[in-house]
Amino acid sequence: MTAPLPGPLAPMLATPGPMPATADGWSFEVKWDGMRAVAHCRDDGTLTVRSRTLRDVTAQWPELASLAAAVPGGAVLDGELIAVDDSGRPSFERLQPRMHATPATARAAAALHPVVYVLFDVLWLAGENICTRPYAERRERLSALGLDAAAWRTPGTLTAEDPATIESAVRGLGLEGVVAKRTSSTYRPGERSPHWRKVKFLLSQEFVVGGWTEGLGARTGSIGSLLLGVHDTGTDDPGLRYCGRVGTGLSDAELDHLAATLAPLAVDASPFTADAPRSTGLHWVRPEVVVEVAFTEWTAAGVLRQP
């Protein structure tokens, strides 16, 4: 028997930022659009999976049950749980039903939306704490475990002389982004470190403002979010289709400017053809103002994700 594993370890987090100017001293990985998870694999074959907030979610992911048996001597692994769409790309929308499944419904949910645990770090191995070892060494030791099966994978890192080449390739695949990691970096559980840098790719598009919601808290008496729409010009109904709301990324000055711009456009009825939100605190306007919005993706229901 090896030494016991440590208690719960919160995952190390990356700091948002641009791609490094040079590849020297950096390693690059795909940024997976999923749920972060740390797996404690004991050498008796038992497994505990914890979320980023250290919640025990083992029962939600029955397809990982035999992972511990694949790691002789035990280990603590770090990675991302992902579900893929019909094109093979990670789909957070498909993952969401699994995240909300109960232990009683987990097996049925796994059959409908199976996940893959994408591994990218090892923190404890065969009784040894290797958090203090450099990332490059930890990555080599993780790869040496050969953890590749239907429900878990260990993809390689991305290499190129110019980081811009990596960014272009990952963008071309329609993936969420890149994580750049200092090859010399140690693993610091629970900390957000500049030695790990997440580069998130965003889509951008113009949308028509069809209304706004009242703000709460610090935004009381002001705009909370804008109600967005697009004209379905390629359909039989070219009206304004509701596609979500956006309230982040706006300064106080921009909110004041929007309030002054939208006030003369107020109308009593929704300008959206269908699926407009129904709640209190909604204000409709003539669809004349256009804004540019950054977002991560379109959902299958035609709504913006993370605008």
Side-chain angles (χ1 to χ4, degrees), residues 5 23 42 47 56 73 84 89 96 101 105 111 113 117 122 128 134 138 140 187 197 202 223 242 248 264 278 291 298:
L5 295 180
R42 298 175 184 81
L47 173 74
D56 187 336
V84 299
R89 293 188 180 91
Q96 280 183 309
T105 62
H113 296 294
Y117 187 28
V122 55
E128 179 188 359
R138 298 196 313 275
E140 287 180 2
Y187 195 99
R197 186 182 299 178
L202 295 174
I223 293 174
Y242 176 73
T248 58
R278 298 178 181 178
V291 293
W298 287 96

Side-chain angles (χ1 to χ4, degrees), residues 157-230:
T157 56
L158 308 174
T159 57
E161 292 184 4
D162 183 0
T165 303
I166 294 174
E167 178 176 349
S168 178
V170 176
R171 280 185 183 273
L173 291 172
L175 299 175
E176 187 189 23
V178 172
V179 180
K181 298 180 178 180
R182 288 280 187 188
T183 55
S184 60
S185 61
T186 59
Y187 195 99
R188 304 181 71 85
E191 293 188 18
R192 189 177 294 279
S193 170
H195 297 297
W196 285 14
R197 186 182 299 178
K198 60 180 178 181
V199 185
K200 196 169 184 177
F201 305 151
L202 295 174
L203 302 174
S204 180
Q205 183 176 322
E206 289 186 341
F207 295 92
V208 180
V209 178
W212 53 278
T213 67
E214 295 178 4
L216 301 173
R219 287 193 182 179
T220 298
S222 180
I223 293 174
S225 63
L226 301 176
L227 305 176
L228 306 174
V230 291

